[in-house]
Amino acid sequence: MKLENQTALITGAGGGIGEEFAGQLAKRRVNLVLVARREEKLAELRDQLLKVGPEVTIDVIAADLSVPGSATDLAAKVEKLGRRIDILVNNAGVGGHGDFVKESVAKNAAQIQLNCVSLVELTGLFLPAMTSARQGLIINVASTAAFQPLPGMAVYGATKALVLSFTEALWQETKSSGVRVFALCPGATETEFFARTGEQFMTSGRQTSKQVVDTAMAAIDKSTPTVISGWRNMVVASGYRITPRRLMLMVSERFVKAE
């Protein structure tokens, strides 16, 4: 797939996997629309990327996609900038940690809005133009948490299961459209994700953001609907398909237990 001179919108670009996507795409001369809550972080990233590729156009938009209606507002801002989005990386996401009964109802609602609703809305807002042009790329960042229920992170696991199911269905629907769609499923990754939960867990075997994005970039010209980053994560995800449900729940609960 030709990437040079295309325009990519990346959500959650303020750090981690989103920032790595921005860096790798900029090196391939892809113009960028970077989206995150922290405008100052986006401005810093833009300055860094322009030093590497001064010929690339980079716009930054501060947006909180956990707020209802924010996806539509974002699309309107992109249109006002005059950008046509050829590549959509739905990376923004958040997760809570702990028993559901102790979690905030409002925070869970915001988590579902960010991880699911805004992702689906942004896909719906930008996919039609891609199919009309018969070219485009959509990468929805799911997780290995999508392959099984996740006691201790019940809502997070459920949101990623939706992302995986939605994206695989979309892959089938768009196979002959010229648009490449796939779900990227990283396991535990060294990002701010864990710090935001306030607890340490899954500290062994974490990948770097670069490893995850390298996996995604290598999959762009392939045809699979789901891309799992790391052989260990592939083994674990495959194992859950044949594990008895009660045992699977016990094992997955241990995986996310605080240390």
Side-chain angles (χ1 to χ4, degrees):
M1 179 179 293
K2 178 182 177 294
L3 297 180
E4 186 176 344
N5 296 323
Q6 303 290 296
T7 298
L9 187 151
I10 305 171
T11 67
I17 293 171
E19 182 175 345
E20 182 65 29
F21 263 116
Q24 293 207 24
L25 288 171
K27 287 178 182 177
R28 297 193 183 204
R29 297 186 179 181
V30 175
N31 300 313
L32 302 173
V33 179
L34 305 178
V35 182
R37 291 179 304 165
R38 297 173 293 179
E39 187 171 7
E40 67 282 359
K41 173 61 179 174
L42 292 176
E44 291 174 8
L45 178 58
R46 177 178 58 190
D47 291 343
Q48 292 170 11
L49 295 176
L50 287 175
K51 290 177 183 177
V52 177
E55 71 284 359
V56 174
T57 298
I58 303 177
D59 300 298
V60 300
I61 299 175
D64 184 353
L65 294 172
S66 68
V67 176
S70 54
T72 302
D73 291 343
L74 172 58
K77 290 177 181 177
V78 171
E79 184 177 6
K80 190 174 181 180
L81 287 169
R83 307 298 179 219
R84 188 191 76 181
I85 301 303
D86 309 291
I87 302 166
L88 174 62
V89 182
N90 276 314
N91 167 71
V94 69
H97 186 265
D99 290 345
F100 174 77
V101 71
K102 298 176 182 177
E103 293 188 316
S104 161
V105 172
K107 285 186 178 180
N108 278 333
Q111 183 179 174
I112 294 168
Q113 178 71 40
L114 175 61
N115 294 5
C116 298
V117 179
S118 289
L119 179 146
V120 172
E121 289 181 344
L122 287 173
T123 303
L125 287 163
F126 292 111
L127 177 59
M130 295 182 191
T131 56
S132 293
R134 297 199 61 79
Q135 66 172 15
L137 170 65
I138 296 178
I139 303 173
N140 288 335
V141 180
S143 167
T144 52
F147 293 95
Q148 70 291 309
L150 207 59
M153 298 184 74
V155 174
Y156 177 76
T159 63
K160 292 304 182 178
L162 182 144
V163 173
L164 179 61
S165 178
F166 167 69
T167 307
E168 288 186 335
L170 198 62
W171 173 85
Q172 179 66 25
E173 292 180 2
T174 59
K175 276 200 306 183
S176 60
S177 70
V179 181
R180 170 76 169 111
V181 177
F182 66 90
L184 174 63
C185 297
T189 308
E190 287 291 353
T191 67
E192 295 179 353
F193 177 90
F194 292 96
R196 288 173 184 164
T197 68
E199 296 181 0
Q200 282 298 315
F201 56 99
M202 299 179 73
T203 54
S204 64
R206 292 184 186 178
Q207 288 194 299
T208 65
S209 295
K210 183 178 185 305
Q211 288 174 311
V212 173
V213 177
D214 283 348
T215 300
M217 298 301 285
I220 288 175
D221 290 318
K222 297 179 180 178
S223 60
T224 177
T226 306
V227 177
I228 301 172
S229 181
W231 69 265
R232 178 181 174 184
N233 293 324
M234 284 188 274
V235 170
V236 171
S238 298
Y240 278 127
R241 299 181 187 274
I242 59 173
T243 304
R245 300 293 285 182
R246 291 181 66 179
L247 176 60
M248 177 179 65
L249 288 164
M250 291 172 60
V251 172
S252 61
E253 184 177 41
R254 289 177 184 174
F255 266 127
V256 300
K257 211 165 191 178
E259 298 173 359

